[in-house]
Amino acid sequence: MRILGEGQYEIADAHLNQLNELDAPVQSAAASGDEQAFATALRALLDTVRSLGTPLPPDTLAPSNLILPDEDATLHEVQALLAGEGLIPG
């Protein structure tokens, strides 16, 4: 899993449900256009990825199945990414 502008994290499959639970508020806030709720939900998702994931060395170029925006991403930018299944498909 990659966080844009930050790096890659290896995430165990066992954590995907927890990440999906945190993805839902991001989607909801983005859909409603609530920028404050969006920023809070995105920060919680990214913090959880950082805490559950194992960071890959910066010089590692591994394929990332999931790409998350950084904390500075605008609501408009993320709304474009959420046009499908959310940030964490599943």
Side-chain angles (χ1 to χ4, degrees):
M1 185 174 292
R2 174 179 298 278
I3 298 175
L4 290 175
E6 184 173 318
Q8 290 179 284
Y9 293 84
E10 186 172 283
I11 302 288
D13 289 345
H15 298 306
L16 291 180
N17 284 341
Q18 183 177 355
L19 295 176
N20 273 318
E21 290 174 11
L22 293 168
D23 183 35
V26 174
Q27 291 180 63
S28 176
S32 69
D34 184 339
E35 291 198 37
Q36 181 61 42
F38 165 76
T40 300
L42 180 59
R43 189 174 315 110
L45 176 60
L46 296 177
D47 286 347
T48 302
V49 169
R50 292 178 189 117
S51 69
L52 296 177
T54 302
L56 297 180
D59 59 346
T60 300
L61 290 175
S64 294
N65 294 334
L66 301 170
I67 300 174
L68 299 174
D70 62 52
E71 288 185 28
D72 296 329
T74 68
L75 179 58
H76 178 72
E77 291 169 333
V78 174
Q79 284 173 327
L81 292 172
L82 292 172
E85 295 182 62
L87 295 173
I88 313 289

